[in-house]
């Protein structure tokens, strides 16, 4: 069994309030959960307006499949959410 995690840092330029940030982050989290069947949560920088850090996790028996799944998730955010560009991301296996 493998546990794969991904941490994505989003730059939210132009966001002027935590309410606006929460709206964007909640939308991204909900869509990632629905599209890729992942566990997703905001994991850091909750009080910063211009940055969001979200964590993704998946469990499976094929390490390559999990890596592809997380890479596809990152690519989805890049292509579908131009309002939340990715500043950095990392994938790890536990």
């Amino acid at each position: 069994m493998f546990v794969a995690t991904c941490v994505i840092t989003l730059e939210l330029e132009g966001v002027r309030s935590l309410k606006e940030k929460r709206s964007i982050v909640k939308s991204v989290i909900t869509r990632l959960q629905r599209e890729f069947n992942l566990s997703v949560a905001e994991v850091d920088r909750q009080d910063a307006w211009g940055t969001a850090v979200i964590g993704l996790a998946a469990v499976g028996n094929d390490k390559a499949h999990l890596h592809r799944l997380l890479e596809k998730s990152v690519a989805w955010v890049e292509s579908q959410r131009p309002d939340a560009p990715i500043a950095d991301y990392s994938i790890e296996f536990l």
Side-chain angles (χ1 to χ4, degrees):
M1 175 179 76
F2 297 101
V3 178
T5 63
C6 179
V7 177
I8 302 174
T9 302
L10 303 173
E11 291 298 326
L12 305 174
E13 295 179 17
V15 172
R16 306 227 187 304
S17 69
L18 287 176
K19 184 176 180 179
E20 187 178 353
K21 175 190 173 180
R22 278 193 306 268
S23 172
I24 293 169
V25 171
K26 184 174 180 174
S27 172
V28 170
I29 288 172
T30 301
R31 289 293 304 271
L32 284 170
Q33 290 170 331
R34 189 177 322 138
E35 295 286 329
F36 299 99
N37 195 26
L38 297 168
S39 295
V40 186
E42 186 175 7
V43 295
D44 198 8
R45 310 275 314 209
Q46 286 92 342
D47 293 332
W49 294 4
T51 305
V53 180
I54 59 173
L56 293 70
V59 176
N61 59 357
D62 184 356
K63 193 173 184 178
H65 171 73
L66 292 174
H67 193 270
R68 284 191 306 272
L69 178 65
L70 293 176
E71 286 287 348
K72 283 175 59 175
S73 302
V74 170
W76 181 89
V77 173
E78 288 176 331
S79 68
Q80 299 296 314
R81 296 307 305 246
D83 60 331
I86 294 176
D88 189 30
Y89 77 95
S90 64
I91 296 175
E92 295 181 13
F93 290 89
L94 307 176

